[in-house]
Amino acid sequence: MSLKVNNLSAGIGNLCILHDIDLKIEKGTLNVLMGPNGSGKSTFASVLMGNPKYKRVEKKPYLSLNGKDISNFEPHERAKCGLFLAFQNPSGIPGVSVANLLKTSYQTVQRSDNTPSKKSAHNPALSVFKFHQELVLTAERIGVPRDFLGRSLDGDFSGGEKKKLEMLQAIVLKPKYAVFDEIDTGLDVDALKTIAGAILELKKKGTGILVVTHYHRILEYAKPDVVHVLVKGRIVASGGCKLALEIEKNGYSKWSKSKN
Amino acid sequence: MPYTSLNSLSSYRYGFHKPEKYFYKSKKGLSEKTVEEISGIKNEPDWMREYRLKALKVFCKKKLPSWGGDLGKINFDDIYYYIKPTENKVSSWKDLPAEIKDTYDKIGIPEAEKKFLGGISAQYESEVVYKSIKKALSKKGVVFLDMDSGLREYASLVKEYFGTVVPMEDNKFAALNSAVWSGGSFIYVPKGVKVDLPLQAYFRINAANMGQFERTLIIADSGSFVHYVEGCTAPIYSTDSLHSAVVEIIVKKGARVRYSTIQNWSKNVYNLVTKRMRVEEEGIGEWVDGNIGSKLTMKYPSVYLVGKGARGEILSVAYAGKDAHQDAGGKVIHIAPFTTSKITSKSVSVDGGRTSYRGLVQVLPSALHSKTKVVCDALIIDSKSRSDTYPTMDIRTSKTQVEHEATVSRIGDEQLFYLQSRGLKKEEAEAMIVNGFIEPIVKELPLEYAVELNRLILLEMDGSVG
């Protein structure tokens, strides 16, 4: 059971950003993709979720989720398969509350899923009630004040608060595979610990996780199983926890200077 | 009274026996004879007949407005000006256009309402519900009637106020309505009486209520409160191409009136409506106005702040889909000192639709220390669609506070991708963005209208993009 990327090259227009990427995220593991600014990390995260902005160089299968080819799936279809992306800078939607978005999203994602409680689908009132109960509890657990849930997504949230709201969505939607794009940027130590704790919790429940970051910081609180290094759109190194420590010490220069 | 016998005559000729069941159709086109016939059939007092005839002269003299939407295609000679409601109904469910039936199903309108809305049944079957509400209202002295009954039963009140807020000379369509009006509501709320439940035309809907040329008059006496809700979100299918209503509201000292409308006319209709409130000292007048369908809507609910400390608020939301033009907005005239007003307009244009915000705020020299704020936001969904803003601020005193904000936005690709990544189809994502955009106004509507409106937007978006 894994999310598998196979020989992916993609970019915008004639500009190729990602080159021949192979990567595998096993169920219930924590993977980290590190790299300097501009190395293509966010592009990679976005392509995994099917952002139509990016085009693949060759139209061949590149992405499978638990053995199912989802290379040509639209973003919402990928979400329904259990893929989740936490955005680095989530787009605000004026007038749409966090709770409303999550409820809609939850219902949509659940609708397509065969496994979770089919019974509640027959009684939407009950499931909405349960959903809200769970939402409030989860929010509390990761330090999201209750009134945030009723606020609009574009609201006056700080960077850190937005990250927590992204994390809240990940926990509520229970994805099979989750990609966190710079979820650690702009967080204070307490928030960082909370986020790391939530990531471990998801991992424990069996979600395969990819954390995209250029800092080592979050890894102090959530030890990765696998570390990949992305430089100039290529995976230049893969390894265990030690690799992250090495980068923390020496930076990316070792790879940046090498061949293009 | 040459027309007193017309009732019996026409009912004989057409083979109907009960006066309220007959149908009568005036000849196409507008003439003194048509107007006299209408007045005669309704057995109106002389003053109303003369009022109508005078209005007809005004109508003939007045030019079509040179601004707003394209009115050139209206053929005034090709319109029936008075039709007994049984006549303009489509005869059976299966004659109704498929897309309208489909929409009823999807919004989940009960069968009885469907038939009424589709124009098949002239009698909406909520008569029982209405009667109990009516009883409670009359205990408090509240009058809630259709306009024709209002004229019969409260002649002196009607005579005192009719045409005082919207005079027939106001504009060509106000004159037209004054000449040929039929149906609409008459409401009187006595001093200090607060009506807790919104009064809904919906409950009271019957043959006399709806028509092309409704006339509504609401009088809220000192210290009273009433919320009137008109229309519904389901598309109203009309075989008539011109709808031209007049709404007049008098808000007396310290009273408050809120008038909420959601209209979704079928796409062949010109919807040209004059709505105005006169607000006296410390009174509050509020319009919540939503326009979805029609070919062209021109509607600018107005508030005249004539008493010291009076307040006015206009919330307008317009949605223009394919081939539709919504020319909407609001108008506030500050006449007395310490008056305040706010206009909030939200418009959405999609699939080649066009929205225009047209607003006027006038602060007269007498309106010292007044405050006004105008906010208009437009959302344009695709490059085929269009939105314009025509704000006019006419401020004739320096002792006033004026604010104006306007934004135009498009749905961003990043917003779409974000919602899609959360499992929403593109059309669902767009609908969610649209619903979020109009949310500040929708939340002011009674819940069931708000829910229906949200569902309707989802349907409209689904159809337009796909």
Side-chain angles (χ1 to χ4, degrees):
Chain A
M1 300 278 261
S2 65
L3 181 73
K4 221 166 139 186
V5 180
N6 189 11
N7 201 3
L8 165 68
S9 297
I12 297 180
N14 290 328
L15 178 71
C16 191
I17 302 170
L18 303 170
H19 308 270
D20 313 320
I21 292 183
D22 289 303
L23 199 140
K24 195 167 156 191
I25 298 162
E26 296 283 355
K27 175 179 186 279
T29 62
L30 173 52
N31 305 257
V32 173
L33 182 68
M34 300 184 78
N37 290 328
S39 58
K41 300 189 299 295
S42 286
T43 301
F44 179 65
S46 208
V47 169
L48 286 186
M49 201 66 227
N51 191 337
K53 192 164 117 186
Y54 302 101
K55 302 280 177 259
R56 272 177 285 145
V57 174
E58 284 175 78
K59 295 270 177 227
K60 55 179 193 206
Y62 72 98
L63 186 64
S64 68
L65 191 149
N66 293 350
K68 184 178 182 178
D69 177 22
I70 59 166
S71 306
N72 294 315
F73 279 28
E74 290 190 38
H76 71 276
E77 295 169 315
R78 295 179 192 215
K80 286 178 185 180
C81 289
L83 188 59
F84 178 86
L85 171 63
F87 283 56
Q88 186 183 347
N89 290 309
S91 274
I93 317 285
V96 178
S97 71
V98 174
N100 184 10
L101 170 68
L102 255 176
K103 194 188 75 203
T104 311
S105 183
Y106 181 78
Q107 285 168 343
T108 320
V109 172
Q110 297 292 309
R111 208 194 296 151
S112 58
D113 204 333
N114 302 323
T115 40
S117 59
K118 265 202 159 178
K119 274 178 199 160
S120 63
H122 291 295
N123 188 348
L126 184 67
S127 70
V128 166
F129 179 70
K130 271 191 177 163
F131 171 78
H132 268 276
Q133 265 186 329
E134 194 189 345
L135 179 59
V136 169
L137 285 176
T138 311
E140 216 164 75
R141 202 147 37 90
I142 62 164
V144 170
R146 201 176 176 147
D147 72 294
F148 279 23
L149 302 176
R151 272 161 58 180
S152 137
L153 264 177
D154 72 320
D156 313 311
F157 293 123
S158 72
E161 286 163 354
K162 282 189 178 174
K163 305 285 185 187
K164 277 191 180 173
L165 289 172
E166 289 292 287
M167 180 50 81
L168 175 64
Q169 296 183 44
I171 298 171
V172 171
L173 295 175
K174 304 181 181 79
K176 295 191 177 86
Y177 297 94
V179 180
F180 294 95
D181 189 6
E182 303 208 13
I183 191 90
D184 50 342
T185 312
L187 295 185
D188 59 39
V189 179
D190 292 333
L192 195 66
K193 280 184 191 166
T194 310
I195 293 286
I199 287 176
L200 290 177
E201 185 190 313
L202 276 173
K203 178 186 158 176
K204 216 162 111 190
K205 283 185 183 154
T207 301
I209 294 161
L210 180 67
V211 172
V212 173
T213 181
H214 46 231
Y215 295 116
H216 175 259
R217 239 165 34 115
I218 192 167
L219 308 180
E220 287 172 26
Y221 305 102
K223 280 225 167 351
D225 300 302
V226 187
V227 175
H228 301 281
V229 181
L230 187 74
V231 175
K232 291 180 184 167
R234 286 174 204 277
I235 303 265
V236 292
S238 300
C241 212
K242 271 189 202 155
L243 186 54
L245 287 170
E246 196 193 317
I247 291 168
E248 180 70 5
K249 224 158 86 194
N250 304 322
Y252 300 101
S253 52
K254 177 176 155 191
W255 298 290
S256 307
K257 282 170 194 157
S258 65
K259 67 163 182 135
N260 197 11
Chain B
M1 299 288 280
Y3 294 103
T4 41
S5 60
L6 206 71
N7 266 350
S8 50
L9 184 70
S10 63
S11 59
Y12 170 76
R13 187 188 299 154
Y14 295 104
F16 287 90
H17 302 292
K18 291 182 182 168
E20 66 272 24
K21 282 269 178 83
Y22 73 59
F23 72 77
Y24 167 82
K25 184 155 76 180
S26 64
K27 282 206 182 70
K28 271 186 182 176
L30 199 50
S31 65
E32 283 195 9
K33 190 160 177 283
T34 321
V35 171
E36 290 206 8
E37 269 178 16
I38 294 170
S39 193
I41 279 169
K42 293 165 176 282
N43 241 326
E44 289 178 347
D46 286 348
W47 72 267
M48 184 54 82
R49 186 166 45 95
E50 279 151 26
Y51 186 90
R52 287 177 183 275
L53 287 168
K54 199 174 154 204
L56 176 66
K57 288 205 179 88
V58 175
F59 169 76
C60 295
K61 256 189 283 173
K62 285 255 177 199
K63 288 201 172 103
L64 282 170
S66 54
W67 42 272
D70 179 12
L71 298 168
K73 293 206 178 78
I74 301 177
N75 181 358
F76 290 101
D77 295 328
D78 194 33
I79 290 170
Y80 292 108
Y81 286 90
Y82 182 66
I83 306 170
K84 256 304 198 193
T86 37
E87 173 68 349
N88 61 350
K89 308 287 166 193
V90 279
S91 56
S92 82
W93 185 239
K94 67 179 198 292
D95 293 340
L96 212 59
E99 71 267 20
I100 289 197
K101 277 193 275 194
D102 197 35
T103 308
Y104 289 166
D105 287 340
K106 285 181 183 161
I107 306 181
I109 305 265
E111 202 64 30
E113 290 178 42
K114 273 186 201 169
K115 291 209 164 137
F116 174 78
L117 294 166
I120 290 159
S121 128
Q123 201 80 25
Y124 179 54
E125 290 152 37
S126 67
E127 203 64 6
V128 187
V129 183
Y130 167 58
K131 273 187 182 136
S132 69
I133 290 170
K134 196 175 172 185
K135 210 170 158 188
L137 288 175
S138 60
K139 260 189 197 159
K140 289 177 152 184
V142 177
V143 178
F144 182 24
L145 294 168
D146 66 85
M147 195 65 218
D148 293 290
S149 309
L151 177 61
R152 269 197 306 275
E153 296 173 32
Y154 295 86
S156 60
L157 259 182
V158 172
K159 196 175 176 186
E160 188 181 346
Y161 290 102
F162 196 93
T164 57
V165 185
V166 180
M168 60 174 80
E169 294 85 2
D170 192 80
N171 64 71
K172 192 172 179 74
F173 292 97
L176 177 64
N177 178 282
S178 298
V180 298
W181 70 266
S182 247
S185 294
F186 174 71
I187 295 171
Y188 173 77
V189 188
K191 273 183 193 159
V193 170
K194 314 244 191 254
V195 183
D196 319 318
L197 278 173
L199 292 185
Q200 307 201 18
Y202 213 42
F203 278 136
R204 211 221 50 228
I205 261 165
N206 56 36
N209 178 248
M210 285 177 58
Q212 294 171 266
F213 305 104
E214 297 154 61
R215 183 87 187 198
T216 289
L217 175 62
I218 299 176
I219 304 157
D221 219 327
S222 315
S224 66
F225 168 72
V226 65
H227 181 188
Y228 181 75
V229 184
E230 171 211 33
C232 58
T233 49
I236 297 170
Y237 183 65
S238 172
T239 48
D240 312 319
S241 57
L242 176 62
H243 173 250
S244 184
V246 167
V247 178
E248 298 181 279
I249 300 177
I250 293 109
V251 184
K252 298 233 171 172
K253 188 174 171 179
R256 178 176 164 207
V257 175
R258 168 174 282 213
Y259 190 110
S260 301
T261 313
I262 289 291
Q263 277 181 326
N264 187 9
W265 292 101
S266 47
K267 303 205 167 173
N268 56 330
V269 172
Y270 287 89
N271 185 29
L272 313 166
V273 175
T274 310
K275 304 170 111 172
R276 194 173 296 161
M277 284 193 203
R278 196 181 75 215
V279 186
E280 298 178 2
E281 196 176 325
E282 300 292 333
I284 302 173
E286 298 160 306
W287 296 106
V288 182
D289 199 59
N291 299 293
I292 305 166
S294 85
K295 181 191 186 84
L296 169 66
T297 291
M298 286 172 68
K299 192 177 347 158
Y300 325 96
S302 316
V303 184
Y304 282 56
L305 301 167
V306 302
K308 187 179 162 187
R311 279 202 279 154
E313 176 149 11
I314 299 159
L315 297 166
S316 167
V317 57
Y319 180 100
K322 193 171 189 279
D323 300 326
H325 182 185
Q326 304 283 4
D327 198 281
K331 207 161 109 177
V332 182
I333 317 291
H334 291 258
I335 298 162
F338 299 101
T339 47
T340 51
S341 68
K342 187 174 179 194
I343 301 177
T344 310
S345 158
K346 296 254 179 192
S347 71
V348 179
S349 45
V350 58
D351 201 18
R354 180 180 171 191
T355 58
S356 313
Y357 165 78
R358 194 178 300 277
L360 169 70
V361 175
Q362 201 170 42
V363 180
L364 299 182
S366 52
L368 296 170
H369 311 292
S370 293
K371 273 190 213 168
T372 179
K373 184 172 183 180
V374 178
V375 181
C376 49
D377 300 323
L379 181 65
I380 305 172
I381 307 292
D382 49 45
S383 54
K384 285 188 289 183
S385 307
R386 172 177 170 183
S387 180
D388 307 279
T389 305
Y390 307 96
T392 307
M393 297 281 209
D394 178 8
I395 314 297
R396 302 191 198 164
T397 166
S398 58
K399 288 185 174 151
T400 183
Q401 191 183 321
V402 179
E403 282 180 68
H404 182 254
E405 292 167 17
T407 66
V408 178
S409 47
R410 288 176 188 279
I411 290 184
D413 289 341
E414 281 304 305
Q415 283 182 324
L416 274 183
F417 175 55
Y418 185 72
L419 293 180
Q420 284 176 282
S421 80
R422 296 301 182 256
L424 280 72
K425 279 193 294 186
K426 187 166 179 248
E427 301 81 55
E428 291 169 336
E430 285 177 330
M432 181 176 258
I433 293 169
V434 168
N435 277 324
F437 174 76
I438 61 173
E439 189 267 350
I441 292 178
V442 172
K443 73 178 183 209
E444 297 296 326
L445 291 168
L447 184 65
E448 66 272 29
Y449 286 78
V451 170
E452 282 179 11
L453 188 63
N454 283 348
R455 266 189 284 175
L456 191 72
I457 298 261
L458 182 60
L459 279 178
E460 287 268 331
M461 301 295 299
D462 232 343
S464 68
V465 188

